[in-house]
Amino acid sequence: MPISELKLAKELIRKPSITPKDAGAINLLAKNLRSLGFKCKIINFNNIKNLYAKLGKSSPNFCYAGHTDVVPPGNIKGWSVNPFKPAIINNKLIGRGANDMKASIACFVAAASRFKSKNKKFKGSISLLITGDEEGLAIHGTKRVVKYLKRKREKINFCLVGEPTNPNKLGEMIKIGRRGSITGRLTVMGIQGHVAYPHRANNPSDTMVKILKKIKEIKLDKGTKNFQPSNLEITKINIDNHADNVIPGSAEAVFNIRFNDKHSSNSLKRKLNIIFRSITKKTKSRFDIKYDVSGESFLTKPNKTTYMIQNVIKKVTKIKPKLSTAGGTSDARFIRKIAPCLEFGLVGKTMHKIDESVSISDLKKLTKIYLNILENYFK
Ligand SMILES: [Zn+2]
């Protein structure tokens, strides 16, 4: 009996798995997958449940990745239904996780069940990598499962991350990578003094202005085929000075760079440090810099599978999806270390919001897309 995406989506939403709580969501999923013949391994890290489920033993291994945890519902009174008692209103399923991303998982499981009933003996395997830790710190989730799979020499040939990727309509966007992000916290130290005697002081604000002007003027790149140009934004300038007749002793600034695959966090650090060194040397001041790297940029170069997926989506939705690297982070940043991956899921318009919802017709279409992807992949 094929699994219904709507029924499974509702059952998953009924588990109040507010990150990092599991509330039975992973076991429910494992139960459904076992009924289809999947071997399910529940991997606990720091009381966080993760699941790696696999149907078949041979290669290639096509993996679907996602998460069962959700963000808190916010003000319950604002919801039209109880966020954990999903209901259908005006052809929309409403509930927390409806598009980010329990319903997407349900669509993939439904697609796998239909694929299996039509293709009893296919060559290859289908797997699911599901975590309960994506919306929070994401330390004991996919990041550790990826290390675990690497240790076990588990090979994934292609991974589809089912996060909501479409801004407004199903079919608009596939994500094939994302930009990197680095934050720098710069302090310039001068010599404090009286404003009337500047020759006895060294004003760090002059140096800071020079540095900020210079780093803002760097042309990092013009963008690439798949990425928009890298960009630096100064997000904070701070001179904590409470007296108007005092030249301050130090000045601080914070900046962030979203960068494409022409750079790495290390190449950017080197480039910036040269500027900081040369300007502070000229102004006889000192500097301190601290960097935070939240991720390197990455790109899964479009290949045969990418174009196959793009065609399948176009066939079902009548829209040709854009291959994009825009937007924020997802677990694809960990998975890409062991497998080529791309992301395609539902419409993200209502994610994390009150009355998060998914249209019933999108649910049916996404199941069809996932099923067609499996059929083409294993053809
Ligand atoms: Zn998500």
Side-chain angles (χ1 to χ4, degrees):
M1 243 317 248
I3 286 174
S4 144
E5 63 274 354
L6 180 60
K7 185 167 169 270
L8 180 56
K10 280 179 165 173
E11 283 172 0
L12 283 169
I13 293 170
R14 269 186 220 117
K15 307 285 181 198
S17 51
I18 300 170
T19 194
K21 272 194 226 119
D22 169 65
I26 292 274
N27 275 334
L28 168 69
L29 195 57
K31 200 182 101 199
N32 277 275
L33 289 166
R34 280 192 192 111
S35 78
L36 297 173
F38 277 80
K39 291 228 167 357
C40 293
K41 171 91 184 151
I42 292 173
I43 314 156
N44 285 295
F45 292 124
N46 258 50
N47 290 326
I48 301 251
K49 275 203 167 96
N50 299 284
L51 169 69
Y52 184 67
K54 194 173 175 188
L55 179 71
K57 281 180 184 155
S58 54
S59 76
N61 177 8
F62 185 95
C63 180
Y64 170 94
H67 61 88
T68 47
D69 58 330
V70 294
V71 296
N75 182 8
I76 301 251
K77 285 187 190 138
W79 284 76
S80 320
V81 303
N82 180 316
F84 300 108
K85 287 189 181 139
I88 298 171
I89 300 174
N90 294 331
N91 290 316
K92 279 187 178 137
L93 174 67
I94 305 179
R96 179 53 89 222
N99 64 50
D100 187 10
M101 56 175 283
K102 287 176 167 172
S104 162
I105 297 175
C107 290
F108 188 81
V109 176
S113 77
R114 280 178 220 176
F115 177 80
K116 208 211 148 188
S117 63
K118 283 205 257 173
N119 306 274
K120 291 267 175 315
K121 279 196 181 106
F122 67 102
K123 194 192 165 302
S125 38
I126 301 173
S127 56
L128 286 93
L129 191 176
I130 306 291
T131 181
D133 182 27
E134 197 275 341
E135 297 287 8
L137 293 174
I139 296 169
H140 303 296
T142 304
K143 192 177 178 181
R144 290 187 66 178
V145 179
V146 161
K147 281 191 186 147
Y148 167 89
L149 293 175
K150 222 172 151 180
R151 250 195 341 267
K152 297 265 168 197
R153 294 175 196 277
E154 175 69 9
K155 172 106 178 124
I156 292 173
N157 298 84
F158 197 87
C159 183
L160 171 69
V161 181
E163 289 279 1
T165 49
N166 302 284
N168 294 298
K169 259 191 184 154
L170 191 74
E172 284 174 327
M173 194 176 279
I174 295 174
K175 294 211 177 154
I176 54 168
R178 73 163 190 121
R179 291 176 295 168
S181 172
I182 179 171
T183 295
R185 295 166 211 286
L186 175 71
T187 307
V188 171
M189 282 83 73
I191 298 168
Q192 189 179 319
H194 197 299
V195 282
Y197 304 91
H199 55 285
R200 287 189 193 147
N202 181 351
N203 195 337
S205 62
D206 297 341
T207 306
M208 185 59 93
V209 167
K210 276 185 194 133
I211 287 176
L212 295 183
K213 181 168 184 294
K214 184 88 183 175
I215 63 172
K216 191 63 200 168
E217 279 170 1
I218 315 173
K219 286 268 171 295
L220 288 165
D221 55 76
K222 290 185 177 146
T224 65
K225 192 170 157 252
N226 294 296
F227 283 94
Q228 56 200 105
S230 303
N231 181 53
L232 179 149
E233 289 299 323
I234 293 155
T235 53
K236 190 173 166 184
I237 299 174
N238 181 32
I239 298 173
D240 201 19
N241 185 2
H242 300 281
D244 296 343
N245 60 352
V246 170
I247 290 172
S250 67
E252 294 163 12
V254 180
F255 57 88
N256 175 273
I257 305 177
R258 293 294 157 119
F259 57 94
N260 61 35
D261 55 351
K262 291 222 158 195
H263 311 271
S264 67
S265 61
N266 281 331
S267 73
L268 288 168
K269 285 180 196 172
R270 277 195 297 275
K271 206 186 257 302
L272 292 161
N273 290 345
I274 289 171
I275 295 173
F276 303 153
R277 246 179 259 127
S278 100
I279 295 180
T280 52
K281 196 177 168 201
K282 275 183 209 146
T283 62
K284 295 192 172 63
S285 42
R286 289 172 300 128
F287 74 96
D288 180 61
I289 179 77
K290 287 194 172 61
Y291 293 108
D292 271 328
V293 180
S294 61
E296 300 291 338
S297 77
F298 71 90
L299 175 77
T300 299
K301 281 227 171 69
N303 60 15
K304 168 164 131 256
T305 309
T306 318
Y307 296 123
M308 176 274 281
I309 291 175
Q310 195 179 30
N311 282 333
V312 164
I313 295 167
K314 194 181 159 200
K315 214 178 79 197
V316 176
T317 64
K318 313 277 183 276
I319 302 171
K320 187 179 176 190
K322 222 179 123 184
L323 303 179
S324 168
T325 54
T329 99
S330 81
D331 278 353
R333 72 189 191 274
F334 305 125
I335 301 164
R336 60 116 185 172
K337 291 176 182 163
I338 53 165
C341 55
L342 61 71
E343 301 177 55
F344 184 76
L346 289 159
V347 176
K349 228 175 9 185
T350 61
M351 61 180 167
H352 296 202
K353 287 192 173 174
I354 290 199
D355 275 358
E356 178 177 345
S357 69
V358 59
S359 91
I360 300 297
S361 88
D362 280 2
L363 272 186
K364 287 188 185 143
K365 281 186 199 159
L366 189 64
T367 304
K368 202 168 167 188
I369 290 168
Y370 287 162
L371 174 60
N372 285 354
I373 290 173
L374 290 174
E375 278 168 346
N376 281 293
Y377 188 81
F378 292 109
K379 203 150 67 184

